[in-house]
Amino acid sequence: MPSDPRRDAILESLAKVQDPELNLSIVELGMVKKVELSGQAVHVQVDLTIDGCPLKGQIRQDVTQAVQRVAPDLKLDLVLGTMTPAELNMV
């Protein structure tokens, strides 16, 4: 299936978002689980490293700004989850 240029642009923008505690890209850390375009919306799932992350609000704001920077016409549906222990071991 061919790559979607809008999805690619969103992922590229998200790659500039850093985990505030680890100072690494949320894409590089494997925190971005889904970027899916559907009509005039983009569904993004980001799994945080810990449940109840104290910097959840900052990450939400940074992800929102990153998506809006490259796709201001799309409605963002952002879901924040939590990484599994196995996923954390890979970080």
Side-chain angles (χ1 to χ4, degrees):
M1 180 149 93
S3 180
D4 184 319
R6 292 184 80 181
R7 182 180 184 279
D8 293 346
I10 291 168
L11 276 170
E12 186 176 315
S13 188
L14 288 173
K16 296 173 185 166
V17 175
Q18 292 195 339
D19 179 287
E21 292 180 317
L22 302 174
N23 293 319
L24 294 170
S25 162
I26 63 171
V27 171
E28 183 181 332
L29 290 168
M31 295 170 66
V32 177
K33 300 301 180 187
K34 176 170 75 168
V35 175
E36 185 177 282
L37 295 166
S38 175
Q40 292 303 308
V42 58
H43 307 282
V44 177
Q45 179 178 340
V46 175
D47 285 355
L48 306 175
T49 54
I50 59 169
D51 190 30
C53 176
L55 297 170
K56 182 178 187 174
Q58 179 67 48
I59 294 171
R60 178 182 297 279
Q61 179 180 347
D62 292 349
V63 168
T64 299
Q65 289 174 348
V67 172
Q68 289 176 341
R69 190 169 22 257
V70 295
D73 57 320
L74 296 179
K75 179 184 180 295
L76 173 61
D77 172 30
L78 175 59
V79 175
L80 297 178
T82 306
M83 295 176 103
T84 66
E87 290 171 325
L88 278 174
N89 285 337
M90 295 173 61
V91 170

